[in-house]
Amino acid sequence: MKRILIGLLAFAGVVVVAFGAFAWRPAIGKIAPPAPTSFAPDLVARGEVLAGAGYCSTCHTAKGGQPFAGGYPMKTSFGAIYSTNITPDPKTGIGSWSEAAFSRALREGVARNGAHLFPALPYDHFTKLSDADVSALYAYMMTRPAVVAEKKRNGIPFPLNIRALQAGWKLLFFKPGRFEPDKTKSPEWNRGAYLAEGISHCGACHTPRNGLGAEKRDKAFAGAAIDHWIAPPLTAANPSPAPWDQAELVAYLRTGVSRYHGVAAGPMAPVVHDGLVKLPDSDIQALAVYFNDRDGGAGRASALAPALQKADAADRLNVGPQSDPSARLYTAACASCHYNGPGQPNPLRPDLALNSAVNLDDPTNLIQVVLHGVGAKEGAPGVVMPAFNRFSDADVARLAAYLRATRTDKPAWPDLEKKVAAIRAEGK
Ligand code: HEC
Ligand code: HEC
Ligand code: HEC
């Protein structure tokens, strides 16, 4: 008995030591912060584009804080993780990091001191970055103004806060390696894939995750819940009745508005207006080529005309006097702005029959938009949809149920009133 116990303990010891050795990463020596003038201006300029495409400032800037100085909370189901200061301050930022240390952080999720980083930093996507792009990003970050800002303590509970355990997560879910082009596809498609899967990590929001927070690789872009919104599927499962095509994707990603599909609101707004805005038109085209292929919209092009006809018919329900109380509410509150002439959807007043918010399996996005409106910085820049936060939960639920019933053939959403209350409680 005693011998078995000793054997087991020894085995456990070996496992712990072996895991420790496996998880261990060396620190990379500190350097004196490189002089900003040591970087070529065109390298810095390329880095700026990439930093936009990777939304570095969206995650690394606290509300009202200095750009890139960190402190922005990322709420995960395990607790809050705070982004760090990535300005070149040598003490509190990354000023003493060599390019090798920076590259290892972005592509392997390991900090300069050897500690494993949480995948809140999307290193599982940045691992695809080319060496040249990492150099450009490094040049851009190292030429930003240095800001003194200490890191905030994470809210991750013990034992999940043990960084060495992240080595286990990586073993299970992380596939390191540069982007590999698909030779059967065009260079433009591959450029789109490189951006989407790498620096712009579209899947970080649009791909569902497993219980341990890793993206399900076999469900790429299948749609997912994120920050109390739904990032719709970017596959053939996209529920918009008007199929996405090249032009619609370009318009949406370039301007935040598209003719048939509405606007980029919620977490998609900064993607378009703070991030992709930095990319040249050719890159937006490339993203559209890639997603147009993935969602097979071209194969469903014939669905457009009937979808437009149905949308027109639905719009006409709200012209003239109404007897049904739900129709009356919709006509009074929404129809004045959301009515479009036959066959002429106006991109600045999204047609609700065509909008994914009304067609998704989950009413979250519709409720978000009604309760909180669409701000001037979201959707079409400078254009606002008012918030209907004074409406009762019952009235918002009634509007959602009415739109679902009159604008789609899809099953009614269950528990709408509860859902409205929960989203209202979350705040904006
Ligand atoms: C989705 C949010 C998000 C995005 C986008 C993001 N980061 Fe981060 N990043 C984080 C978080 C959170 C951490 C801290 C992780 C931790 O504590 O384990 C971090 C850590 C880092 C670190 C390690 C710093 C340190 O002190 O350990 C570097 C370097 C970094 N990010 C650079 C970048 C760059 C460059 C970009 C843009 C290309 C970027 N990040 C985009 C969230 C993000
Ligand atoms: C931070 C999370 C996040 C990231 C990153 C993100 N998206 Fe989104 N996306 C969303 C959300 C949330 C919506 C729903 C917005 C709405 O309904 O107004 C959305 C909507 C969309 C839509 C409209 C879908 C529809 O049917 O209405 C497209 C197209 C899209 N995203 C493409 C992309 C592409 C391409 C990328 C990468 C370049 C990307 N997204 C990155 C969260 C994200
Ligand atoms: C004063 C005009 C106005 C009224 C009233 C109005 N809307 Fe809007 N709505 C807009 C505009 C404008 C946009 C596009 C906003 C943008 O581009 O920033 C919009 C966008 C939307 C979207 C699309 C969001 C997306 O992600 O594509 C939905 C859904 C929506 N409205 C639903 C409603 C409902 C339901 C009502 C009634 C409760 C309503 N609206 C009332 C003007 C209005």
Side-chain angles (χ1 to χ4, degrees):
M1 186 65 195
K2 208 168 156 191
R3 247 200 263 150
I4 294 176
L5 201 65
I6 291 172
L8 280 177
L9 279 176
F11 178 70
V14 169
V15 169
V16 168
V17 170
F19 183 77
F22 163 75
W24 185 79
R25 297 288 184 282
I28 295 179
K30 290 188 182 180
I31 59 164
T37 47
S38 64
F39 298 100
D42 64 323
L43 192 64
V44 175
R46 282 214 304 118
E48 180 175 4
V49 172
L50 290 159
Y55 333 119
C56 316
S57 76
T58 309
C59 279
H60 280 276
T61 308
K63 215 173 169 191
Q66 302 272 5
F68 303 112
Y72 171 88
M74 288 189 66
K75 289 173 210 140
T76 73
S77 40
F78 313 104
I81 298 182
Y82 288 91
S83 64
T84 45
N85 179 354
I86 54 168
T87 72
D89 178 57
K91 286 238 163 57
T92 61
I94 60 168
S96 65
W97 292 36
S98 62
E99 186 174 326
F102 180 79
S103 168
R104 185 176 69 170
L106 285 190
R107 299 198 291 196
E108 292 166 43
V110 177
R112 190 202 57 77
N113 65 4
H116 287 280
L117 293 164
F118 292 108
L121 159 67
Y123 65 81
D124 50 336
H125 293 274
F126 294 163
T127 190
K128 302 207 172 191
L129 287 175
S130 69
D131 294 347
D133 281 355
V134 171
S135 297
L137 277 166
Y138 182 70
Y140 177 69
M141 292 319 312
M142 286 300 176
T143 48
R144 292 313 89 206
V147 179
V148 179
E150 295 290 346
K151 179 165 167 49
K152 284 205 177 137
R153 268 184 81 90
N154 288 335
I156 307 280
F158 180 82
L160 295 176
N161 62 351
I162 300 176
R163 288 186 177 268
L165 292 181
Q166 288 300 317
W169 191 92
K170 288 177 181 174
L171 184 65
L172 292 173
F173 305 120
F174 176 46
K175 198 163 152 268
R178 307 296 89 85
F179 176 74
E180 279 170 32
D182 180 340
K183 298 222 169 61
T184 67
K185 307 280 189 185
S186 69
E188 201 177 24
W189 186 98
N190 276 298
R191 176 67 187 164
Y194 174 75
L195 294 167
E197 297 169 18
I199 187 77
S200 293
H201 56 275
C202 312
C205 295
H206 285 274
T207 299
R209 295 177 187 265
N210 66 22
L212 289 171
E215 284 170 36
K216 296 181 180 165
R217 268 195 218 128
D218 56 339
K219 297 242 163 71
F221 306 116
I226 174 91
D227 290 347
H228 311 297
W229 278 78
I230 303 294
L234 303 178
T235 61
N238 183 281
S240 314
W244 285 91
D245 62 16
Q246 179 81 12
E248 281 285 287
L249 281 163
V250 168
Y252 188 90
L253 298 174
R254 181 79 294 174
T255 64
V257 197
S258 66
R259 186 159 170 209
Y260 302 131
H261 292 95
V263 302
M268 190 62 195
V271 167
V272 171
H273 297 304
D274 302 338
L276 303 183
V277 67
K278 300 270 185 188
L279 289 176
D281 287 349
S282 57
D283 278 346
I284 300 293
Q285 286 282 353
L287 277 169
V289 165
Y290 174 71
F291 281 107
N292 196 29
D293 182 38
R294 286 209 78 122
D295 80 7
R300 286 177 283 135
S302 58
L304 180 61
L308 291 180
Q309 253 171 22
K310 257 186 82 182
D312 286 342
D315 267 350
R316 276 194 290 275
L317 292 175
N318 300 96
V319 178
Q322 311 284 324
S323 52
D324 167 36
S326 299
R328 228 169 22 220
L329 183 59
Y330 177 82
T331 304
C334 321
S336 59
C337 290
H338 284 284
Y339 176 77
N340 292 294
Q344 289 301 325
N346 177 341
L348 296 182
R349 314 156 173 201
D351 193 308
L352 300 185
L354 302 176
N355 201 270
S356 65
V358 180
N359 286 283
L360 283 163
D361 295 343
D362 183 311
T364 295
N365 291 3
L366 180 59
I367 296 169
Q368 282 282 12
V369 168
V370 173
L371 282 180
H372 300 130
V374 183
K377 290 194 179 142
E378 300 174 276
V383 175
V384 168
M385 144 140 177
F388 289 82
N389 49 9
R390 297 221 185 124
F391 277 30
S392 66
D393 293 349
D395 277 346
V396 176
R398 177 195 282 274
L399 276 169
Y402 172 75
L403 279 169
R404 182 76 166 174
T406 54
R407 266 62 180 173
T408 78
D409 302 325
K410 297 181 172 145
W413 286 312
D415 297 327
L416 267 173
E417 217 176 306
K418 262 200 219 142
K419 192 108 198 179
V420 178
I423 292 173
R424 194 194 295 273
E426 284 296 339
K428 198 176 167 156

